[in-house]
Structures are given as C-alpha cells and as structure tokens.
Amino acid sequence: MSETIRPLNFIERIIEEDLNSGKVTAIRTRFPPEPNGYLHLGHAKSIWLNFGLAQRYGGKCNLRMDDTNPAKEEEEYVESIQHDVQWLGYQWDGEVHYASDYFDQLHAWAVYLIEQGKAFVCDLNAEQMREYRGTLTEPGKESPFRTRSVEDNLALFEKMRAGEFEEGACCLRAKIDMASANINLRDPVLYRIKKASHHQTGDKWCIYPSYDYAHGQSDAIEGITHSICTLEFESHRPLYDWCIQNLPVPAEPHQYEFSRLNVNYTVTSKRKLKQLVDENHVAGWDDPRMPTIAGMRRRGYTPKALRDFCEMAGVTKVEGVVDISMLEHAIRNDLNDNSPRAMCVLHPLKVILTNYPETQTETITAPVHPQREDMGTRALPFGREIFIDQDDFREEANKQYKRLVKGKRVRLRNAYVIEADEAVKDAAGNIIAVHARVIEDTLGKDPADGVKAKGVIHWVAAHDNLDCEVRLYDRLFTDVAPDAGGKNYLDYLNPNSLVILSGCKAEKSLATAGLEDRFQFEREGYFTLDNKHTNADSAVFNRIIGLKDTWEKVA
C-alpha cells in the first residue's frame, strides 16, 4: 500500500481495531484466484489490497489456488497467476497453496456434517433443484431426499466418492433452511460429481467441493484472519459463517467485502475474455489490448502504475465504475517521470539537406530525459539525409501549422534549424522527398538573422537508424459500457484497436533496448519492445499509451 498520508479505508480501520483490541496478534490475508483463466484488472486490485494490507501491518499473505473445478482449470493458468503476482511486486508467504491440498480434510468434514444430520445426498437433477429452490420472494421446497437417514447418506456419499454414480446423478447438500430469505442458505450444494482429471490430484477424486464449502474451511486451515472478497460474495457470507460454526475447524476467520473494480470501456468477465481468445478476436490472453495483467504487462504498463491506479480507485463498499482515463493518467505519470526519450519516425519522409556535405556525418549529444540529468545523454547520428514524419511537411499551410512548410523554417529536435526549399514528387504527384537547407550555426542557437523556426519536429538520420515495426494499440471497445444492459459486447469491438506500421525509422540507440525498457517516442507517445514478436532480426515496438487522452475529445 502507498505510504502517502490519506484516510484509512474501512478494511484498514477494522484491522487496526482488531490489532489494538488484541482480537488478533498478527494478520494473515490471502489471494485465492480460480486457475480457469488469466488474471485481469479487477484481480490486480485484489492482489494490491490483500498483499498490500499484509505489508502495511507486518502480516503475511497466502497465494491459494481455488482449484475446485478441474473441468475448467489448467496448469498454464496456475503459472500465469504466480507470474502476475510477482510482476506486480508481491511475494506470497511460503509455498503456493491449493484448495486441493485440503481435499482429504474437506471430505472428512463433509462426512462429519452427514453424521451430525446436517448434510444429505440429494438425487434431484439441476433443473429440479432450481424449481425446488424458490425465488427471491417465495420460499423453496424441501427435497424429498432430505429425510434420508444418516446411514443411507453415508453410504451414498461413499458411492459418490467411489465413482459409482454418473455426473449429475446426485450431490451432497447442506441441510440448512429452504425458507431462508437468503437463497444461498437454501440447502446449498457442498459436493458434486465431476469425472475429470485434476491438475494437482490427478484421478484421485471424482467428487469436488463447491467454492462456498471449500473457501471458508481453507481459510480456517491456513489461519486467515481477514478473508477479503468482493461485494458479490456478501450474500454468501452467512453460508461461510454457517460452515465455520458447524465444523470443528482450527480457526474462525471472518469475511469482509469491498466493491469490485469496474472500469468503463472494459470487459472483465473471464467467460467473455475467454470468448475473445477462443474466437480469435484477439491474439491470446496476453494480447496487449486485453485487460489481463499479462496483456497489460506485454503492452508496457508498469507495476507501479497499476498499484497507483488501485490506490486512486480506493476501497469502499459502494459499487461504481471507474473511468479508464484514471488508469491511463497513472500510466502516463509513471512513464513521464521515468522513461528515456527517443525519436522514431512512424511514416518516414526523406529530407535531403542540400547544403550539408554529402560525405560528412556528425554525432549530436541529446539528454536521455529533459528533467533527469542522472539519466545521462544519448548520441544522435546526423548527416545529409534524414527522415521526418510525412505529417510534418506541407507545401502550404496556415499559421496554426507549426511544422515544416515550403519556404519556412523548423527546428529539428536537439539539432539544427532547417528551411524547406522544394518538394520532390513522383509521377502521380505524391511527395517522396523534400529538399531543404541547414541554417548555419543553429545547433543549440537561434538563427543569426533573427528569423525563428515555426516549431520543433523529430527526425532520424537516414544513414544510421533502426528499421522497426510499430504497433499502435488503442482501447479494445468503442462503447463506454460494452456489456451493460444485455448488449452484445462483440458489437463494440474497436476496429482501430491495433494498427501495424512497418518500415518505421527509429534512432540507432534503440537497437540496444531491452524487453522491459520503456521509452517516450518524442511527440508520439510511450512505447516498449513487444516480447513476443521482437527477435534478433526484427524490432517490434508496442505503443503503451499516447501522450494525451484523445478519447476525451471524442467523448
């Protein structure tokens, strides 16, 4: 958590009260993701909160895989989760935990509930169970199998465990209250049959505990003091407490809920993110347009920016939607302060400096960062031919155009003032080059004749540069709430969320850039090397974010 002085959020107040009263002597939190997909922006807030609280109060935080549904879980997801947590700057206490570590104990406790007359094997199928469950305004009906004897239930549960029933034939349910106003207490399912191999336990089990049953007991086994969940689990808390109170667990953790992180222009449902991947709307879970932590990492977002964003979004019990511009602001702030500067021409147009000697070259020294002397300087090759961006030259322009115009002057960033004389065109009338002159003695100086440059443009030497591909990433959706109100979010995919530019020209210093390095391409935005497509023969840069919020103007 940030060391900036700010009011305590409600969870911090609870923790401080618990520590001061002696209710707990040390806190232990946990981050319990399901390994059925890659983590996304909402998980980043949960990671920041759970690990950050442990850091702030000298406690410990566990990483526990909630691996109770083997049909949807994969080892790839387990590995990606660990990578994401560590990349965000956190380290869990001890080994990675798994709900499956406790399957034997959870099974034994299920037998205990049966013996206490508090659980029964039910033969209703899924549709029948929904009918019996009732509604928000009408109570449910008790299952006709609710009165089975303890002996019958024990025998049937053992047959379930032994694989003698097909999936869906029966399940184990808690015996609570079918008339409860809280639907989660209407005899919820504790175990269901799933004949699927598990990535941790193999084929040992063909019955698996439900999330509601496994979660609280796993917390108790691990000695979790503050079990922090998002608000959708608030109605599940009575069931969490019922299990804790009715089982001989070694500890009594308590669940606290906070509002989940909802961000506009974004979809974070794992099911929908998986659909984007499976139907090739994006190029994998780590596509830089995806709101997954892996995608944001590949795009070039920084761990600090994501932590700062979570801090800015805050921790409350009030549901709301955070503007994505807040995230983009956090990213720009971090990158602006810490990113080396470089020049890259995205749409090259050759400029021939006719009064500069053909065989002469020189090296111009420029700062790596204009406000950070500690970052040193960089060398810029300069010669008779350079590249500028096509949008930075016009034969004629009004006074608002502050770039190179025929008969006018402009300063090359960190270099000379030049004046354009002639546009060279092909047979179709397209400008293919510009003839210009260097105004003498203007390296770091204004022209002696007093005629100043209209503006400053970036450039790259033609004789010594890095040829590269640049990928311009933008928001994946054009609608502020793409999946709200029953809308089909696929209808709002942004057709311009990825624009690939080849033949771009970057300053030669970028040839030594590393995969984790981030740069401000002057006048263009912030960029980083793509960790999938960059190799020894090809440099591919991803745009992390533009210098300004262009969406605000559109809105």
Side-chain angles (χ1 to χ4, degrees):
M1 306 285 278
S2 171
E3 293 303 316
T4 303
I5 297 175
R6 55 162 177 76
L8 297 178
N9 63 54
F10 77 97
I11 295 179
E12 291 169 334
R13 289 197 298 271
I14 290 171
I15 289 174
E16 293 202 358
E17 290 170 3
D18 288 348
L19 289 170
N20 292 335
S21 68
K23 181 178 179 180
V24 298
T25 57
I27 73 161
R28 183 180 287 273
T29 58
R30 84 289 170 270
F31 174 59
E34 298 176 65
N36 60 355
Y38 278 59
L39 301 183
H40 55 64
L41 192 54
H43 295 110
K45 181 176 179 180
S46 185
I47 293 169
W48 164 83
L49 180 59
N50 279 289
F51 284 91
L53 287 170
Q55 286 183 352
R56 177 165 186 164
Y57 293 103
K60 296 177 179 179
C61 184
N62 291 359
L63 173 61
R64 179 172 74 239
M65 303 295 167
D66 173 31
D67 56 344
T68 57
N69 188 1
K72 295 184 178 181
E73 297 163 0
E74 296 180 19
E75 189 64 29
E76 173 190 352
Y77 300 144
V78 172
E79 293 174 359
S80 73
I81 288 168
Q82 296 179 62
H83 189 190
D84 290 346
V85 171
Q86 292 175 321
W87 178 77
L88 278 171
Y90 301 108
Q91 183 59 49
W92 51 90
D93 181 55
E95 299 295 323
V96 175
H97 297 272
Y98 296 84
S100 56
D101 293 341
Y102 317 127
F103 279 178
D104 286 311
Q105 180 63 76
L106 292 171
H107 176 265
W109 280 337
V111 171
Y112 175 86
L113 287 175
I114 294 172
E115 292 172 340
Q116 298 297 308
K118 295 178 180 179
F120 68 100
V121 174
C122 182
D123 295 352
L124 294 179
N125 61 35
E127 183 177 346
Q128 291 169 329
M129 202 173 296
R130 280 192 294 271
E131 293 175 0
Y132 274 67
R133 196 179 192 194
T135 67
L136 291 173
T137 56
E138 297 179 352
K141 298 185 298 182
E142 292 186 355
S143 166
F145 307 102
R146 199 176 195 266
T147 57
R148 279 173 165 159
S149 68
V150 169
E151 291 74 22
D152 284 348
N153 283 316
L154 288 172
L156 289 169
F157 189 51
E158 175 57 26
K159 288 183 177 181
M160 284 175 59
R161 189 201 65 78
E164 296 183 25
F165 297 121
E166 296 302 314
E167 289 191 18
C170 55
C171 63
L172 182 70
R173 298 173 66 182
K175 193 184 294 186
I176 307 180
D177 182 6
M178 289 302 295
S180 173
N182 187 329
I183 290 182
N184 292 298
L185 294 180
R186 295 181 187 176
D187 293 4
V189 173
L190 303 181
Y191 267 90
R192 70 276 201 220
I193 301 169
K194 284 189 178 294
K195 296 188 175 181
S197 185
H198 193 283
H199 55 92
Q200 294 294 315
T201 60
D203 296 322
K204 178 179 178 180
W205 298 93
C206 63
I207 57 171
Y208 292 95
S210 66
Y211 170 85
D212 280 325
Y213 175 61
H215 188 67
Q217 282 57 259
S218 298
D219 284 347
I221 291 170
E222 294 176 12
I224 303 303
T225 59
H226 297 78
S227 181
I228 302 167
C229 303
T230 45
L231 273 179
E232 64 264 34
F233 292 101
E234 186 173 26
S235 62
H236 294 245
R237 190 191 334 139
L239 177 54
Y240 180 103
D241 292 340
W242 183 90
C243 290
I244 294 294
Q245 293 160 6
N246 285 278
L247 287 168
V249 292
E252 295 187 11
H254 188 74
Q255 177 178 301
Y256 304 89
E257 305 88 19
F258 70 100
S259 60
R260 62 180 295 166
L261 182 59
N262 300 305
V263 182
N264 62 11
Y265 290 100
T266 305
V267 166
T268 53
S269 158
K270 275 189 185 177
R271 177 182 61 81
K272 293 174 182 176
L273 295 179
K274 190 173 188 300
Q275 183 181 7
L276 289 172
V277 174
D278 291 345
E279 296 181 1
N280 298 314
H281 298 292
V282 295
W285 285 96
D286 66 343
D287 187 299
R289 294 166 291 181
M290 289 279 274
T292 56
I293 296 175
M296 293 185 287
R297 177 170 63 247
R298 183 175 160 199
R299 181 152 168 181
Y301 290 8
T302 65
K304 182 181 184 303
L306 288 177
R307 295 195 303 266
D308 288 347
F309 168 62
C310 293
E311 182 87 48
M312 293 161 64
V315 180
T316 71
K317 289 183 74 74
V318 180
E319 288 285 14
V321 178
V322 177
D323 197 316
I324 196 170
S325 62
M326 182 187 292
L327 170 61
E328 294 169 346
H329 172 74
I331 295 164
R332 286 191 185 95
N333 268 2
D334 188 30
L335 294 175
N336 181 59
D337 291 343
N338 301 295
S339 295
R341 274 36 175 179
M343 293 189 288
C344 182
V345 177
L346 304 186
H347 305 93
L349 173 63
K350 182 171 285 189
V351 176
I352 302 168
L353 303 171
T354 57
N355 64 337
Y356 195 94
E358 290 189 37
T359 58
Q360 180 177 322
T361 61
E362 62 181 299
T363 300
I364 295 173
T365 300
V368 171
H369 192 293
Q371 285 84 42
R372 295 274 304 272
E373 290 186 5
D374 61 299
M375 296 180 75
T377 59
R378 67 190 202 273
L380 302 175
F382 188 85
R384 177 183 173 87
E385 295 184 354
I386 62 172
F387 289 112
I388 66 170
D389 198 276
Q390 293 173 12
D391 289 339
D392 284 343
F393 174 76
R394 291 182 185 174
E395 290 187 274
E396 296 180 357
N398 59 31
K399 292 182 179 180
Q400 282 69 45
Y401 186 76
K402 303 296 184 182
R403 288 170 264 183
L404 186 60
V405 180
K406 185 177 177 181
K408 303 293 183 179
R409 295 178 179 180
V410 75
R411 179 174 289 280
L412 300 176
R413 181 73 167 157
N414 299 305
Y416 298 98
V417 173
I418 64 172
E419 182 172 320
D421 295 324
E422 179 186 3
V424 180
K425 301 180 181 180
D426 62 16
N430 301 308
I431 298 174
I432 57 173
V434 176
H435 287 171
R437 290 174 291 111
V438 172
I439 306 303
E440 294 184 5
D441 199 28
T442 54
L443 186 61
K445 301 178 184 178
D446 289 331
D449 60 11
V451 180
K452 294 185 178 180
K454 287 178 65 68
V456 179
I457 63 174
H458 61 290
W459 58 277
V460 170
H463 74 280
D464 193 11
N465 61 65
L466 174 67
D467 189 81
C468 60
E469 176 180 291
V470 173
R471 299 187 168 210
L472 303 179
Y473 287 102
D474 205 345
R475 296 179 186 177
L476 185 56
F477 297 100
T478 58
D479 191 88
V480 66
D483 61 347
K487 292 185 290 190
N488 181 358
Y489 70 106
L490 296 177
D491 292 339
Y492 302 98
L493 285 168
N494 180 6
N496 299 313
S497 61
L498 171 59
V499 176
I500 299 177
L501 304 176
S502 58
C504 303
K505 305 295 182 181
E507 67 177 69
K508 193 60 179 243
S509 65
L510 290 173
T512 59
L515 290 179
E516 292 294 320
D517 296 339
R518 301 168 182 86
F519 302 88
Q520 184 194 100
F521 287 0
E522 302 196 43
R523 301 177 65 232
E524 296 291 356
Y526 297 96
F527 294 78
T528 190
L529 282 173
D530 186 276
N531 60 21
K532 275 200 170 179
H533 295 104
T534 295
N535 53 51
D537 301 317
S538 176
V540 178
F541 287 93
N542 294 334
R543 181 171 66 186
I544 305 168
I545 197 168
L547 294 175
K548 296 180 180 179
D549 183 0
T550 57
W551 284 79
E552 183 179 5
K553 294 180 181 179
V554 173

